Amino acid sequence: MPLLLHKLNLTHFRGYDALRLDFAGAQIVVLTGLNGAGKTNILEAISLLAPGKGLRGADLLDMKNRLASAEDLWAVAAEVETASGLPMRIGTGLDREFKRRLIRINGRDARSQNELASIISAVWLTPQMDRLFLDGASGRRKFFDRLAFAFDEEHAARLNRYDKSLRERLKVLQGEMGVDPVWLSNLEAQLAADAVCIAATRRQLLEQMARYVEKLYAGKTLFPAPEISVSGWAESETGLRAAVDIEEDLRARFRDSRRADMLAGKSHEGVHRSDFLVTHRDRGMPAAQCSTGEQKGLLVSIVLAHALMMQGEQGFTPILLLDEVAAHLDDARRDELFRYLLSLNGQIFLTGTDPEIFAALRPAAMFCAVEPGRVGIANKGSTRQQAMP
Ligand SMILES: Nc1ncnc2c1ncn2[C@@H]1O[C@H](COP(=O)(O)OP(=O)(O)OP(=O)(O)O)[C@@H](O)[C@H]1O
Ligand SMILES: [Mg+2]
């Protein structure tokens, strides 16, 4: 069964004061409107239903509607049907102290965002990600780790714990908490244990995705085939040696780098320094040296291969949030992308300024006209997917 977002309610969120949307089971939802109308804001709201900082990685305070009064808080609430057919009510918003994101699941407060991972997963492509292959490794790690969230529910929790331990270790090293060797060793043991699992999940994700890249390219496709690898000490050791041995070596590496880390104010060892390398397979060209359209094509290929993998291995696809994804694609590639999207058994949200470029998605898709502060439903779409032509 597909994972479906049925209803979405936004309160004091970005440009919306109160918005109620009912997607009525539609699997493809097209949001169109002028620049600044509020399309990306809706995708951002949906992205906040999954663990993490959302598709803009924005500050929680920036999400509150600027016109709302001082005591108002923003909230995003949704009715979701999980891949196993369970109806769930989930909500998120800023807490009264304006410090952290609260999560509610079926009317009760969740302990952490990580509880969302077993209910919903979302993957997105945004115009900002057009620079994914050009900018630093952190964006690529975030992108591929998010693909892994869908695949391994524990991955998000482990990464959060890992980052927290890493910060705490630096504080201890820099004497803020007084150097306590036992505490340091415990932190490093936790870091090493999490790092081994994080590295293994990343390797497993890439190995499985590679099989689906082959499937995707078994038929002829206009999108470039990506070859993806991950560089990092723990990732390269994974599979070569027993996990316990890698863990022990990692602990030693953390221990041996204490002094250098203290002096530099950063951690030199660990999976937070790994990078994902993408190559245009047929041209043997690193993604960073490909054209803008080719880079976009590689991103689309990765997201499609991941969706196919999820469908094949776990029986559902994450919710796809494709912001302005058609913009850099020529007509043939756009048509091909839409054919793939129609063949997926999952929910997909697309945005663009011109409804005409999405014509190939009619009548299956629900079309929504976004205007500042409000959204009109132009065409309800159908809940059934068309078979791939
Ligand atoms: N906290 C906020 N309060 C009120 N308005 C906001 C807030 N944050 C962003 N906005 C405004 O919301 C509007 C809609 O932004 P959004 O990015 O969703 O537009 P869009 O429809 O995706 O446009 P484009 O086609 O240019 O990408 C913008 O004008 C933006 O300034
Ligand atoms: Mg936008």
Short mmCIF file of all heavy atoms in Angstrom, two decimals, residues 203-268:
data_model
loop_
_atom_site.label_atom_id
_atom_site.label_comp_id
_atom_site.label_asym_id
_atom_site.label_seq_id
_atom_site.Cartn_x
_atom_site.Cartn_y
_atom_site.Cartn_z
N ARG A 203 26.69 2.00 3.30
CA ARG A 203 27.19 1.04 2.30
C ARG A 203 26.06 0.18 1.75
O ARG A 203 25.96 -0.07 0.55
CB ARG A 203 28.25 0.14 2.94
CG ARG A 203 29.62 0.79 3.04
CD ARG A 203 30.29 0.88 1.68
NE ARG A 203 30.48 -0.42 1.06
CZ ARG A 203 31.58 -1.13 1.17
NH1 ARG A 203 32.61 -0.63 1.82
NH2 ARG A 203 31.69 -2.30 0.57
N GLN A 204 25.19 -0.25 2.66
CA GLN A 204 24.08 -1.11 2.26
C GLN A 204 23.12 -0.37 1.32
O GLN A 204 22.65 -0.91 0.32
CB GLN A 204 23.33 -1.54 3.51
CG GLN A 204 22.72 -2.91 3.42
CD GLN A 204 21.85 -3.18 4.64
OE1 GLN A 204 22.00 -2.53 5.68
NE2 GLN A 204 20.94 -4.11 4.52
N LEU A 205 22.86 0.90 1.65
CA LEU A 205 22.00 1.73 0.81
C LEU A 205 22.57 1.80 -0.61
O LEU A 205 21.85 1.56 -1.59
CB LEU A 205 21.90 3.15 1.40
CG LEU A 205 21.24 4.20 0.50
CD1 LEU A 205 19.72 4.10 0.58
CD2 LEU A 205 21.67 5.62 0.86
N LEU A 206 23.87 2.08 -0.71
CA LEU A 206 24.46 2.24 -2.04
C LEU A 206 24.49 0.92 -2.80
O LEU A 206 24.26 0.89 -4.02
CB LEU A 206 25.88 2.83 -1.94
CG LEU A 206 25.95 4.25 -1.38
CD1 LEU A 206 27.36 4.82 -1.57
CD2 LEU A 206 24.94 5.19 -2.00
N GLU A 207 24.74 -0.17 -2.08
CA GLU A 207 24.77 -1.47 -2.77
C GLU A 207 23.39 -1.82 -3.33
O GLU A 207 23.25 -2.26 -4.46
CB GLU A 207 25.25 -2.56 -1.81
CG GLU A 207 26.76 -2.60 -1.75
CD GLU A 207 27.29 -3.26 -0.49
OE1 GLU A 207 26.58 -4.09 0.11
OE2 GLU A 207 28.44 -2.93 -0.09
N GLN A 208 22.36 -1.60 -2.51
CA GLN A 208 21.00 -1.91 -2.99
C GLN A 208 20.59 -0.96 -4.10
O GLN A 208 19.97 -1.37 -5.08
CB GLN A 208 20.00 -1.77 -1.83
CG GLN A 208 20.08 -2.93 -0.87
CD GLN A 208 18.71 -3.25 -0.28
OE1 GLN A 208 17.71 -2.71 -0.71
NE2 GLN A 208 18.69 -4.13 0.69
N MET A 209 20.93 0.33 -3.93
CA MET A 209 20.53 1.28 -4.97
C MET A 209 21.20 0.95 -6.30
O MET A 209 20.60 1.11 -7.35
CB MET A 209 20.85 2.71 -4.55
CG MET A 209 19.65 3.35 -3.88
SD MET A 209 19.98 4.99 -3.27
CE MET A 209 20.42 5.86 -4.74
N ALA A 210 22.45 0.49 -6.23
CA ALA A 210 23.18 0.16 -7.48
C ALA A 210 22.41 -0.89 -8.27
O ALA A 210 22.34 -0.83 -9.50
CB ALA A 210 24.59 -0.33 -7.14
N ARG A 211 21.79 -1.84 -7.55
CA ARG A 211 21.02 -2.88 -8.26
C ARG A 211 19.81 -2.26 -8.97
O ARG A 211 19.44 -2.67 -10.06
CB ARG A 211 20.54 -3.94 -7.26
CG ARG A 211 21.65 -4.80 -6.73
CD ARG A 211 21.15 -6.19 -6.41
NE ARG A 211 20.16 -6.17 -5.34
CZ ARG A 211 20.46 -6.15 -4.05
NH1 ARG A 211 21.73 -6.14 -3.68
NH2 ARG A 211 19.53 -6.13 -3.14
N TYR A 212 19.19 -1.27 -8.32
CA TYR A 212 18.03 -0.64 -8.93
C TYR A 212 18.42 0.36 -10.01
O TYR A 212 17.63 0.61 -10.93
CB TYR A 212 17.10 -0.04 -7.85
CG TYR A 212 16.34 -1.15 -7.16
CD1 TYR A 212 16.89 -1.85 -6.10
CD2 TYR A 212 15.10 -1.56 -7.66
CE1 TYR A 212 16.23 -2.91 -5.51
CE2 TYR A 212 14.43 -2.62 -7.07
CZ TYR A 212 15.00 -3.29 -6.00
OH TYR A 212 14.33 -4.34 -5.44
N VAL A 213 19.62 0.91 -9.93
CA VAL A 213 20.11 1.74 -11.04
C VAL A 213 20.19 0.84 -12.28
O VAL A 213 19.77 1.21 -13.36
CB VAL A 213 21.48 2.37 -10.70
CG1 VAL A 213 22.15 2.94 -11.95
CG2 VAL A 213 21.33 3.47 -9.64
N GLU A 214 20.69 -0.39 -12.09
CA GLU A 214 20.76 -1.33 -13.21
C GLU A 214 19.38 -1.60 -13.80
O GLU A 214 19.19 -1.62 -15.00
CB GLU A 214 21.38 -2.67 -12.78
CG GLU A 214 22.85 -2.59 -12.45
CD GLU A 214 23.65 -1.87 -13.52
OE1 GLU A 214 23.42 -2.12 -14.71
OE2 GLU A 214 24.47 -1.02 -13.14
N LYS A 215 18.39 -1.78 -12.93
CA LYS A 215 17.02 -2.05 -13.41
C LYS A 215 16.48 -0.85 -14.17
O LYS A 215 15.88 -0.99 -15.23
CB LYS A 215 16.08 -2.32 -12.22
CG LYS A 215 16.24 -3.70 -11.66
CD LYS A 215 15.09 -4.05 -10.75
CE LYS A 215 15.36 -5.43 -10.17
NZ LYS A 215 14.44 -5.80 -9.14
N LEU A 216 16.73 0.34 -13.59
CA LEU A 216 16.23 1.57 -14.20
C LEU A 216 16.81 1.73 -15.60
O LEU A 216 16.14 2.19 -16.52
CB LEU A 216 16.65 2.75 -13.30
CG LEU A 216 16.03 4.11 -13.53
CD1 LEU A 216 14.53 4.07 -13.32
CD2 LEU A 216 16.63 5.12 -12.54
N TYR A 217 18.09 1.33 -15.75
CA TYR A 217 18.76 1.54 -17.03
C TYR A 217 18.73 0.31 -17.93
O TYR A 217 19.31 0.33 -19.01
CB TYR A 217 20.19 2.07 -16.78
CG TYR A 217 20.09 3.43 -16.18
CD1 TYR A 217 20.03 3.59 -14.80
CD2 TYR A 217 19.88 4.54 -16.99
CE1 TYR A 217 19.83 4.83 -14.24
CE2 TYR A 217 19.66 5.78 -16.44
CZ TYR A 217 19.64 5.92 -15.06
OH TYR A 217 19.40 7.15 -14.53
N ALA A 218 18.02 -0.72 -17.46
CA ALA A 218 17.87 -1.88 -18.33
C ALA A 218 17.02 -1.48 -19.53
O ALA A 218 17.28 -1.87 -20.66
CB ALA A 218 17.24 -3.03 -17.56
N GLY A 219 15.97 -0.66 -19.27
CA GLY A 219 15.21 -0.07 -20.36
C GLY A 219 15.96 1.18 -20.77
O GLY A 219 16.81 1.66 -20.04
N LYS A 220 15.65 1.71 -21.95
CA LYS A 220 16.39 2.89 -22.36
C LYS A 220 15.84 4.10 -21.60
O LYS A 220 14.65 4.27 -21.42
CB LYS A 220 16.23 3.09 -23.87
CG LYS A 220 17.49 3.71 -24.37
CD LYS A 220 17.75 3.54 -25.82
CE LYS A 220 18.81 4.52 -26.27
NZ LYS A 220 19.98 4.55 -25.35
N THR A 221 16.74 4.92 -21.10
CA THR A 221 16.28 6.12 -20.41
C THR A 221 17.16 7.30 -20.78
O THR A 221 18.34 7.15 -21.11
CB THR A 221 16.27 5.91 -18.87
OG1 THR A 221 16.10 7.17 -18.26
CG2 THR A 221 17.52 5.27 -18.35
N LEU A 222 16.56 8.47 -20.76
CA LEU A 222 17.29 9.68 -21.12
C LEU A 222 18.08 10.22 -19.93
O LEU A 222 18.94 11.07 -20.08
CB LEU A 222 16.30 10.76 -21.59
CG LEU A 222 15.54 10.43 -22.87
CD1 LEU A 222 14.42 11.41 -23.09
CD2 LEU A 222 16.51 10.47 -24.05
N PHE A 223 17.75 9.73 -18.74
CA PHE A 223 18.46 10.23 -17.56
C PHE A 223 19.80 9.51 -17.41
O PHE A 223 19.89 8.31 -17.67
CB PHE A 223 17.60 10.04 -16.31
CG PHE A 223 16.44 10.98 -16.27
CD1 PHE A 223 15.16 10.53 -16.50
CD2 PHE A 223 16.64 12.33 -16.04
CE1 PHE A 223 14.09 11.40 -16.51
CE2 PHE A 223 15.58 13.22 -16.04
CZ PHE A 223 14.30 12.75 -16.27
N PRO A 224 20.83 10.24 -17.02
CA PRO A 224 22.15 9.60 -16.91
C PRO A 224 22.23 8.63 -15.74
O PRO A 224 21.68 8.90 -14.67
CB PRO A 224 23.10 10.79 -16.69
CG PRO A 224 22.26 11.90 -16.17
CD PRO A 224 20.87 11.67 -16.68
N ALA A 225 22.92 7.52 -15.97
CA ALA A 225 23.08 6.53 -14.89
C ALA A 225 24.14 7.03 -13.92
O ALA A 225 25.24 7.40 -14.33
CB ALA A 225 23.51 5.19 -15.47
N PRO A 226 23.82 7.07 -12.62
CA PRO A 226 24.82 7.51 -11.65
C PRO A 226 25.61 6.32 -11.11
O PRO A 226 25.08 5.23 -10.94
CB PRO A 226 23.97 8.11 -10.53
CG PRO A 226 22.67 7.36 -10.60
CD PRO A 226 22.50 6.86 -12.00
N GLU A 227 26.90 6.54 -10.89
CA GLU A 227 27.69 5.57 -10.14
C GLU A 227 28.01 6.26 -8.81
O GLU A 227 28.55 7.36 -8.82
CB GLU A 227 28.97 5.27 -10.90
CG GLU A 227 29.58 3.95 -10.51
CD GLU A 227 30.55 3.50 -11.57
OE1 GLU A 227 31.64 4.11 -11.63
OE2 GLU A 227 30.21 2.61 -12.36
N ILE A 228 27.61 5.63 -7.72
CA ILE A 228 27.73 6.33 -6.43
C ILE A 228 28.64 5.53 -5.50
O ILE A 228 28.50 4.32 -5.37
CB ILE A 228 26.35 6.46 -5.75
CG1 ILE A 228 25.29 6.90 -6.77
CG2 ILE A 228 26.41 7.47 -4.59
CD1 ILE A 228 23.87 6.71 -6.29
N SER A 229 29.56 6.24 -4.86
CA SER A 229 30.37 5.58 -3.85
C SER A 229 30.49 6.49 -2.64
O SER A 229 30.15 7.68 -2.72
CB SER A 229 31.75 5.24 -4.41
OG SER A 229 32.41 6.44 -4.77
N VAL A 230 30.92 5.92 -1.53
CA VAL A 230 31.07 6.74 -0.33
C VAL A 230 32.52 6.62 0.13
O VAL A 230 33.08 5.53 0.17
CB VAL A 230 30.04 6.35 0.76
CG1 VAL A 230 30.10 4.88 1.12
CG2 VAL A 230 30.17 7.21 2.01
N SER A 231 33.12 7.78 0.41
CA SER A 231 34.50 7.76 0.89
C SER A 231 34.48 8.03 2.39
O SER A 231 33.75 8.88 2.86
CB SER A 231 35.33 8.82 0.18
OG SER A 231 34.96 10.10 0.67
N GLY A 232 35.26 7.32 3.13
CA GLY A 232 35.30 7.47 4.58
C GLY A 232 35.96 6.22 5.13
O GLY A 232 35.75 5.13 4.59
N TRP A 233 36.74 6.38 6.18
CA TRP A 233 37.50 5.24 6.69
C TRP A 233 36.56 4.11 7.11
O TRP A 233 36.73 2.96 6.70
CB TRP A 233 38.38 5.68 7.87
CG TRP A 233 39.25 4.56 8.36
CD1 TRP A 233 40.44 4.18 7.82
CD2 TRP A 233 38.96 3.66 9.43
NE1 TRP A 233 40.92 3.08 8.50
CE2 TRP A 233 40.04 2.74 9.50
CE3 TRP A 233 37.91 3.53 10.33
CZ2 TRP A 233 40.08 1.72 10.44
CZ3 TRP A 233 37.95 2.52 11.27
CH2 TRP A 233 39.04 1.62 11.32
N ALA A 234 35.56 4.42 7.92
CA ALA A 234 34.67 3.37 8.43
C ALA A 234 33.91 2.70 7.29
O ALA A 234 33.75 1.48 7.27
CB ALA A 234 33.71 3.95 9.46
N GLU A 235 33.47 3.49 6.32
CA GLU A 235 32.71 2.92 5.20
C GLU A 235 33.59 1.99 4.37
O GLU A 235 33.14 0.95 3.91
CB GLU A 235 32.14 4.02 4.30
CG GLU A 235 30.96 4.77 4.88
CD GLU A 235 31.36 5.96 5.75
OE1 GLU A 235 32.57 6.04 6.10
OE2 GLU A 235 30.49 6.77 6.09
N SER A 236 34.87 2.38 4.19
CA SER A 236 35.70 1.51 3.34
C SER A 236 36.11 0.23 4.06
O SER A 236 36.38 -0.79 3.43
CB SER A 236 36.91 2.26 2.78
OG SER A 236 37.53 2.96 3.80
N GLU A 237 36.14 0.28 5.39
CA GLU A 237 36.47 -0.94 6.16
C GLU A 237 35.27 -1.90 6.24
O GLU A 237 35.44 -3.10 6.40
CB GLU A 237 36.88 -0.57 7.58
CG GLU A 237 38.18 0.20 7.68
CD GLU A 237 39.38 -0.63 7.23
OE1 GLU A 237 39.62 -1.70 7.81
OE2 GLU A 237 40.05 -0.20 6.27
N THR A 238 34.04 -1.30 6.13
CA THR A 238 32.83 -2.12 6.27
C THR A 238 32.82 -3.25 5.24
O THR A 238 33.05 -3.01 4.06
CB THR A 238 31.56 -1.24 6.08
OG1 THR A 238 31.62 -0.21 7.05
CG2 THR A 238 30.28 -2.04 6.26
N GLY A 239 32.58 -4.44 5.70
CA GLY A 239 32.54 -5.58 4.77
C GLY A 239 33.88 -6.26 4.65
O GLY A 239 33.97 -7.42 4.28
N LEU A 240 34.96 -5.53 4.94
CA LEU A 240 36.29 -6.15 4.83
C LEU A 240 36.67 -6.86 6.13
O LEU A 240 37.39 -7.84 6.12
CB LEU A 240 37.36 -5.08 4.54
CG LEU A 240 37.23 -4.32 3.22
CD1 LEU A 240 38.34 -3.29 3.09
CD2 LEU A 240 37.31 -5.31 2.05
N ARG A 241 36.18 -6.28 7.25
CA ARG A 241 36.53 -6.83 8.56
C ARG A 241 35.29 -6.90 9.44
O ARG A 241 34.28 -6.27 9.14
CB ARG A 241 37.57 -5.91 9.23
CG ARG A 241 38.91 -5.95 8.52
CD ARG A 241 39.98 -5.29 9.35
NE ARG A 241 39.72 -3.88 9.57
CZ ARG A 241 39.95 -3.27 10.74
NH1 ARG A 241 40.37 -3.96 11.78
NH2 ARG A 241 39.72 -1.99 10.86
N ALA A 242 35.40 -7.61 10.54
CA ALA A 242 34.26 -7.72 11.45
C ALA A 242 33.94 -6.36 12.06
O ALA A 242 34.86 -5.57 12.34
CB ALA A 242 34.59 -8.71 12.56
N ALA A 243 32.63 -6.09 12.26
CA ALA A 243 32.20 -4.79 12.80
C ALA A 243 32.86 -4.48 14.15
O ALA A 243 33.25 -3.34 14.40
CB ALA A 243 30.68 -4.77 12.94
N VAL A 244 33.04 -5.52 15.00
CA VAL A 244 33.65 -5.26 16.32
C VAL A 244 35.09 -4.76 16.19
O VAL A 244 35.52 -3.93 16.98
CB VAL A 244 33.63 -6.51 17.24
CG1 VAL A 244 32.27 -6.72 17.84
CG2 VAL A 244 34.13 -7.74 16.53
N ASP A 245 35.80 -5.28 15.19
CA ASP A 245 37.19 -4.83 15.01
C ASP A 245 37.22 -3.38 14.50
O ASP A 245 38.07 -2.59 14.93
CB ASP A 245 37.92 -5.74 14.01
CG ASP A 245 38.06 -7.15 14.56
OD1 ASP A 245 38.03 -7.30 15.80
OD2 ASP A 245 38.19 -8.09 13.74
N ILE A 246 36.31 -3.06 13.60
CA ILE A 246 36.27 -1.68 13.08
C ILE A 246 35.93 -0.74 14.24
O ILE A 246 36.53 0.32 14.39
CB ILE A 246 35.21 -1.55 11.96
CG1 ILE A 246 35.48 -2.56 10.84
CG2 ILE A 246 35.19 -0.14 11.40
CD1 ILE A 246 34.40 -2.61 9.77
N GLU A 247 34.99 -1.19 15.08
CA GLU A 247 34.57 -0.36 16.22
C GLU A 247 35.75 -0.10 17.16
O GLU A 247 35.96 1.03 17.60
CB GLU A 247 33.42 -1.07 16.94
CG GLU A 247 32.77 -0.23 17.99
CD GLU A 247 31.58 -0.94 18.63
OE1 GLU A 247 30.90 -1.74 17.94
OE2 GLU A 247 31.34 -0.71 19.82
N GLU A 248 36.51 -1.16 17.42
CA GLU A 248 37.65 -1.00 18.33
C GLU A 248 38.69 -0.04 17.75
O GLU A 248 39.21 0.83 18.45
CB GLU A 248 38.27 -2.37 18.58
CG GLU A 248 39.02 -2.44 19.89
CD GLU A 248 39.40 -3.87 20.17
OE1 GLU A 248 38.48 -4.70 20.32
OE2 GLU A 248 40.62 -4.16 20.21
N ASP A 249 38.95 -0.19 16.44
CA ASP A 249 39.90 0.72 15.79
C ASP A 249 39.40 2.15 15.82
O ASP A 249 40.19 3.08 15.98
CB ASP A 249 40.13 0.28 14.33
CG ASP A 249 41.10 -0.88 14.26
OD1 ASP A 249 41.50 -1.38 15.34
OD2 ASP A 249 41.42 -1.30 13.14
N LEU A 250 38.10 2.31 15.64
CA LEU A 250 37.54 3.66 15.66
C LEU A 250 37.73 4.31 17.02
O LEU A 250 38.06 5.49 17.12
CB LEU A 250 36.05 3.63 15.31
CG LEU A 250 35.67 3.88 13.85
CD1 LEU A 250 34.17 3.64 13.65
CD2 LEU A 250 36.03 5.30 13.42
N ARG A 251 37.51 3.52 18.06
CA ARG A 251 37.71 4.05 19.42
C ARG A 251 39.14 4.52 19.59
O ARG A 251 39.38 5.60 20.15
CB ARG A 251 37.40 2.97 20.47
CG ARG A 251 35.93 2.87 20.73
CD ARG A 251 35.60 1.60 21.42
NE ARG A 251 35.98 1.62 22.82
CZ ARG A 251 35.46 0.78 23.72
NH1 ARG A 251 34.57 -0.10 23.35
NH2 ARG A 251 35.83 0.83 24.96
N ALA A 252 40.07 3.72 19.07
CA ALA A 252 41.49 4.09 19.17
C ALA A 252 41.76 5.36 18.36
O ALA A 252 42.51 6.23 18.79
CB ALA A 252 42.35 2.93 18.67
N ARG A 253 41.13 5.46 17.20
CA ARG A 253 41.35 6.65 16.36
C ARG A 253 40.83 7.90 17.05
O ARG A 253 41.46 8.95 17.00
CB ARG A 253 40.68 6.47 14.98
CG ARG A 253 41.38 5.41 14.13
CD ARG A 253 40.57 5.10 12.88
NE ARG A 253 40.84 6.09 11.84
CZ ARG A 253 41.64 5.88 10.81
NH1 ARG A 253 42.25 4.72 10.66
NH2 ARG A 253 41.82 6.81 9.91
N PHE A 254 39.65 7.77 17.70
CA PHE A 254 39.13 8.92 18.46
C PHE A 254 40.09 9.28 19.60
O PHE A 254 40.40 10.45 19.82
CB PHE A 254 37.73 8.61 19.04
CG PHE A 254 36.61 8.78 18.04
CD1 PHE A 254 35.78 7.71 17.68
CD2 PHE A 254 36.35 10.03 17.47
CE1 PHE A 254 34.76 7.87 16.78
CE2 PHE A 254 35.30 10.20 16.56
CZ PHE A 254 34.51 9.11 16.21
N ARG A 255 40.56 8.24 20.29
CA ARG A 255 41.44 8.48 21.44
C ARG A 255 42.74 9.16 20.97
O ARG A 255 43.18 10.13 21.57
CB ARG A 255 41.74 7.14 22.12
CG ARG A 255 42.38 7.28 23.50
CD ARG A 255 42.55 5.93 24.15
NE ARG A 255 43.31 5.01 23.31
CZ ARG A 255 42.88 3.79 22.92
NH1 ARG A 255 41.72 3.33 23.31
NH2 ARG A 255 43.62 3.03 22.14
N ASP A 256 43.30 8.66 19.87
CA ASP A 256 44.59 9.19 19.41
C ASP A 256 44.46 10.62 18.85
O ASP A 256 45.48 11.30 18.70
CB ASP A 256 45.17 8.28 18.33
CG ASP A 256 45.53 6.92 18.91
OD1 ASP A 256 45.58 6.80 20.15
OD2 ASP A 256 45.73 5.97 18.12
N SER A 257 43.25 11.01 18.51
CA SER A 257 43.12 12.35 17.91
C SER A 257 42.65 13.40 18.93
O SER A 257 42.34 14.52 18.56
CB SER A 257 42.19 12.31 16.71
OG SER A 257 40.90 11.91 17.12
N ARG A 258 42.60 13.03 20.20
CA ARG A 258 42.10 13.97 21.22
C ARG A 258 42.83 15.31 21.19
O ARG A 258 42.20 16.37 21.17
CB ARG A 258 42.23 13.36 22.63
CG ARG A 258 41.17 12.33 22.92
CD ARG A 258 41.37 11.76 24.31
NE ARG A 258 40.48 10.62 24.50
CZ ARG A 258 40.51 9.82 25.54
NH1 ARG A 258 41.40 10.01 26.50
NH2 ARG A 258 39.66 8.81 25.66
N ARG A 259 44.15 15.25 21.20
CA ARG A 259 44.91 16.49 21.29
C ARG A 259 44.69 17.36 20.05
O ARG A 259 44.42 18.55 20.16
CB ARG A 259 46.40 16.16 21.48
CG ARG A 259 47.19 17.35 21.92
CD ARG A 259 48.64 17.04 22.23
NE ARG A 259 49.44 18.24 21.98
CZ ARG A 259 49.38 19.33 22.72
NH1 ARG A 259 48.58 19.40 23.76
NH2 ARG A 259 50.11 20.40 22.42
N ALA A 260 44.80 16.73 18.89
CA ALA A 260 44.62 17.49 17.63
C ALA A 260 43.20 18.07 17.57
O ALA A 260 43.01 19.20 17.13
CB ALA A 260 44.87 16.57 16.44
N ASP A 261 42.22 17.30 18.02
CA ASP A 261 40.82 17.77 17.98
C ASP A 261 40.63 18.95 18.92
O ASP A 261 39.93 19.92 18.60
CB ASP A 261 39.86 16.63 18.38
CG ASP A 261 39.80 15.54 17.33
OD1 ASP A 261 40.44 15.70 16.28
OD2 ASP A 261 39.11 14.53 17.56
N MET A 262 41.26 18.85 20.09
CA MET A 262 41.13 19.92 21.08
C MET A 262 41.72 21.22 20.49
O MET A 262 41.11 22.28 20.54
CB MET A 262 41.85 19.55 22.36
CG MET A 262 41.78 20.62 23.43
SD MET A 262 42.99 20.33 24.71
CE MET A 262 44.52 20.59 23.85
N LEU A 263 42.91 21.09 19.88
CA LEU A 263 43.58 22.28 19.35
C LEU A 263 42.80 22.88 18.17
O LEU A 263 42.68 24.10 18.05
CB LEU A 263 45.01 21.93 18.91
CG LEU A 263 45.96 21.58 20.06
CD1 LEU A 263 47.30 21.09 19.52
CD2 LEU A 263 46.17 22.79 20.98
N ALA A 264 42.28 22.00 17.32
CA ALA A 264 41.58 22.50 16.13
C ALA A 264 40.12 22.87 16.42
O ALA A 264 39.48 23.57 15.63
CB ALA A 264 41.63 21.43 15.04
N GLY A 265 39.58 22.39 17.53
CA GLY A 265 38.18 22.66 17.85
C GLY A 265 37.24 21.91 16.93
O GLY A 265 36.11 22.33 16.69
N LYS A 266 37.72 20.81 16.34
CA LYS A 266 36.85 19.97 15.50
C LYS A 266 37.34 18.52 15.56
O LYS A 266 38.48 18.27 15.96
CB LYS A 266 36.82 20.47 14.06
CG LYS A 266 38.14 20.42 13.37
CD LYS A 266 37.99 20.82 11.92
CE LYS A 266 39.31 20.56 11.20
NZ LYS A 266 39.42 21.06 9.88
N SER A 267 36.45 17.60 15.17
CA SER A 267 36.82 16.19 15.24
C SER A 267 37.34 15.72 13.89
O SER A 267 36.65 15.85 12.89
CB SER A 267 35.61 15.35 15.64
OG SER A 267 35.01 15.96 16.75
N HIS A 268 38.57 15.20 13.91
CA HIS A 268 39.19 14.78 12.65
C HIS A 268 38.77 13.39 12.20
O HIS A 268 38.92 13.03 11.04
CB HIS A 268 40.72 14.79 12.79
CG HIS A 268 41.27 16.17 12.95
ND1 HIS A 268 41.32 16.81 14.16
CD2 HIS A 268 41.76 17.04 12.03
CE1 HIS A 268 41.85 18.02 14.00
NE2 HIS A 268 42.12 18.18 12.72
#
